[in-house]
Amino acid sequence: MKTIINLTAEAILLLKKLIETPSFSGEENQTAVLIADWFEQDGIPYHRENNNLWAYNRHFDRTKPTLLLNSHHDTVKPNQAYTLDPFTALEEDGKIFGLGSNDAGGCLVALLAAFAYFYPQENLSHNIVMVASAEEESSGPNGLNSVLQHLPELDCAIVGEPTEMQLAIAEKGLLVLDITVRGTASHAAHENPDNPIYNALNVIEWFRNYRFEKVSEILGPVKMTVTQINAGKQHNVVPSECQLVVDIRVNDQYTNTEILDTVVQSVNATVQPRSMHLNASSIAPEHPLVRSGVALGRTTYGSPTLSDQSVLSCQSLKLGPGNSLRSHTANEFIYRHEIEKGIALYIEILNGFFNKKTE
């Protein structure tokens, strides 16, 4: 079995290769090749579909529950404020710069290292499946959601996202609604009691003032925000409709379907959701994964940002090296020591979960 030091060195080398290989969401073929090479070099059999790769621990036992380890290898496109080459893995002053270094390359390679550490071990309480997924940034159809049909039933999961190795035990879901408020088209010079723009004011006020009753202890209330409005094409014509876009961040007390039903019943408008699968997620504070992390001095919190947790139906914990505030920023970076500490902590937390001692 490789030592943690060796696994850490391999992980950082892989991260640098990933940074230097463009992998925009939906275009991850070349980073998938790098991850496949990593599995092969460690002698780990793997599966691949589209740009998703997954592997099981050597002593997989179908009678045991299964733990998922997951992070993604796709990135957003670099923003215009970059002053460094986003595809050069520059290491300077303890930082590793490059697109995807923080979100979520550091998490991915740290989880791969932890998986490799446990891969050959016998008598684990759970099976482990490691999934390096695609299309997380775009919530695309060929990401983690497409892999789940191939996996055994999942008991719980760790999703690698930058949390400074603190325990995000809940995550808000996302529901985006296209709202169409209708009225009667007319010449602006004539009286019109059915102007859709004026009709939209009541709808906007409802979204502004309505409060869902259930408030999450971790995530707080459901938050609804009107973010876009569009109506009319010329100054002297009252349009026949007014379009709104509403961003809803859903807590773990509601499903997206429940939120949608309330909106449809409450507003005088046509309501069309863009998707329904980005649900809130959580894990019980008393879950053994959480208890293991807390025993190591980790704190718990609720995350407002979305991840691949949204497609999971099992209890899931978001946890990883790096800082979420660096994600999608110019000159993105992660500290080398964050990866080193992240790998060690992943292993310690999993040892506590498996009731094993770190070797």
Side-chain angles (χ1 to χ4, degrees), residues 34-112:
L34 291 174
I35 296 164
D37 288 344
W38 183 89
F39 279 127
E40 290 173 1
Q41 289 166 12
D42 273 29
I44 299 174
Y46 67 92
H47 306 266
R48 177 174 176 179
E49 182 178 81
N50 297 311
N51 294 323
N52 304 287
L53 299 97
W54 67 97
Y56 299 96
N57 59 304
R58 179 181 292 164
H59 301 286
F60 183 91
D61 180 348
R62 290 194 175 276
T63 66
K64 293 181 179 180
T66 298
L67 164 71
L68 168 68
L69 304 180
N70 163 249
S71 192
H72 64 95
H73 59 103
D74 63 314
T75 71
V76 296
K77 294 185 177 181
N79 67 54
Q80 296 180 341
Y82 262 86
T83 60
L84 300 173
D85 181 353
F87 302 111
T88 295
L90 173 66
E91 185 166 2
E92 190 174 84
D93 298 328
K95 300 175 182 176
I96 300 172
F97 291 91
L99 183 66
S101 56
N102 181 77
D103 184 15
C107 301
L108 175 62
V109 299
L111 277 175
L112 284 167

Side-chain angles (χ1 to χ4, degrees), residues 134-149:
E135 298 193 10
E136 189 273 348
E137 295 290 3
S138 60
S139 299
N142 295 315
L144 177 62
N145 51 310
S146 68
V147 175
L148 296 176
Q149 62 182 321

Side-chain angles (χ1 to χ4, degrees), residues 197-357:
I197 299 174
Y198 295 158
N199 294 344
L201 294 176
N202 289 332
V203 176
I204 293 170
E205 279 299 300
W206 184 86
F207 282 110
R208 181 181 182 182
N209 296 321
Y210 186 82
R211 299 292 181 268
F212 284 88
E213 181 179 347
K214 299 176 186 176
V215 177
S216 168
E217 290 185 12
I218 302 296
L219 294 173
V222 173
K223 186 177 186 299
M224 300 193 292
T225 308
V226 178
T227 56
Q228 293 176 256
I229 182 168
N230 183 56
K233 295 183 178 178
Q234 56 192 81
H235 76 91
N236 59 350
V237 177
V238 174
S240 62
E241 57 186 40
C242 177
Q243 286 91 28
L244 311 173
V245 176
V246 183
D247 178 294
I248 304 179
R249 303 292 164 154
V250 183
N251 67 22
D252 55 347
Q253 302 299 301
Y254 294 94
T255 65
N256 286 359
T257 299
E258 290 172 324
I259 299 295
L260 178 63
D261 288 346
T262 298
V263 173
V264 169
Q265 295 166 15
S266 302
V267 300
N268 185 19
T270 300
V271 181
Q272 181 62 47
R274 294 187 181 178
S275 67
M276 293 295 293
H277 68 280
L278 302 176
N279 288 291
S281 53
S282 64
I283 189 168
E286 63 273 12
H287 192 280
L289 270 175
V290 179
R291 291 207 313 266
S292 181
V294 170
L296 293 168
R298 304 293 91 193
T299 59
T300 62
Y301 73 103
S303 173
T305 58
L306 200 68
S307 75
D308 267 337
Q309 280 185 284
S310 62
V311 303
L312 297 174
S313 58
C314 65
Q315 293 194 82
S316 56
L317 172 68
K318 186 159 68 176
L319 172 69
N323 186 324
S324 180
L325 295 177
R326 299 184 210 131
S327 299
H328 304 181
T329 61
N331 301 335
E332 180 183 349
F333 70 89
I334 189 168
Y335 286 100
R336 172 183 275 265
H337 74 77
E338 289 178 320
I339 299 172
E340 295 168 344
K341 183 178 179 181
I343 293 171
L345 275 170
Y346 275 144
I347 290 172
E348 286 187 88
I349 289 170
L350 289 172
N351 271 324
F353 177 66
F354 297 137
N355 294 312
K356 292 174 64 68
K357 293 182 180 179

